[in-house]
Amino acid sequence: MIAGIKKTIGKTIAGIVIKESDNEPKSQIFFIFSDDSSYEIYSDKSKIFGSTDLQPYGLDGVKKCMSTTHKIVDEFYDESLMKP
């Protein structure tokens, strides 16, 4: 069970950021919502995990999160849906 994922129901996805690293977690997918919150799904090697709650940061916060160890491999977002 991915704990906090239920809180994403009804939210509008404004962007997605995908990060990878040689460190743990190996892969991360961040969903950025139009209200400037985000949700992370990550994987170590074989299992998929989710954050326990929504995070209070949007696109800029997600880009900074673990930026010294994880690189952004792809990002997609619709500026018209991003909180000003």
Side-chain angles (χ1 to χ4, degrees), residues 67-82:
S67 61
T68 58
T69 58
H70 290 68
K71 67 176 184 171
I72 296 172
V73 293
D74 232 330
E75 60 182 291
F76 314 92
Y77 54 92
D78 183 340
E79 289 185 22
S80 70
L81 295 174
M82 302 302 274

Side-chain angles (χ1 to χ4, degrees), residues 1-83:
M1 171 78 178
I2 300 176
I5 201 164
K6 289 181 182 179
K7 294 181 179 181
T8 66
I9 302 300
K11 290 191 169 281
T12 300
I13 297 173
I16 297 171
V17 175
I18 302 168
K19 292 185 173 188
E20 291 182 351
S21 175
D22 291 332
N23 298 321
E24 299 293 333
K26 300 282 186 196
S27 302
Q28 297 169 289
I29 298 174
F30 293 88
F31 295 94
I32 297 100
F33 302 105
S34 58
D35 65 357
D36 215 30
S37 64
S38 59
Y39 186 76
E40 175 189 2
I41 296 175
Y42 58 96
S43 178
D44 54 3
K45 294 176 184 157
S46 60
K47 287 190 173 188
I48 296 173
F49 300 94
S51 45
T52 57
D53 208 348
L54 293 172
Q55 301 303 313
Y57 47 80
L59 183 62
D60 291 337
V62 165
K63 286 183 174 185
K64 290 176 188 173
C65 176
M66 300 176 79
S67 61
T68 58
T69 58
H70 290 68
K71 67 176 184 171
I72 296 172
V73 293
D74 232 330
E75 60 182 291
F76 314 92
Y77 54 92
D78 183 340
E79 289 185 22
S80 70
L81 295 174
M82 302 302 274
K83 188 174 179 180

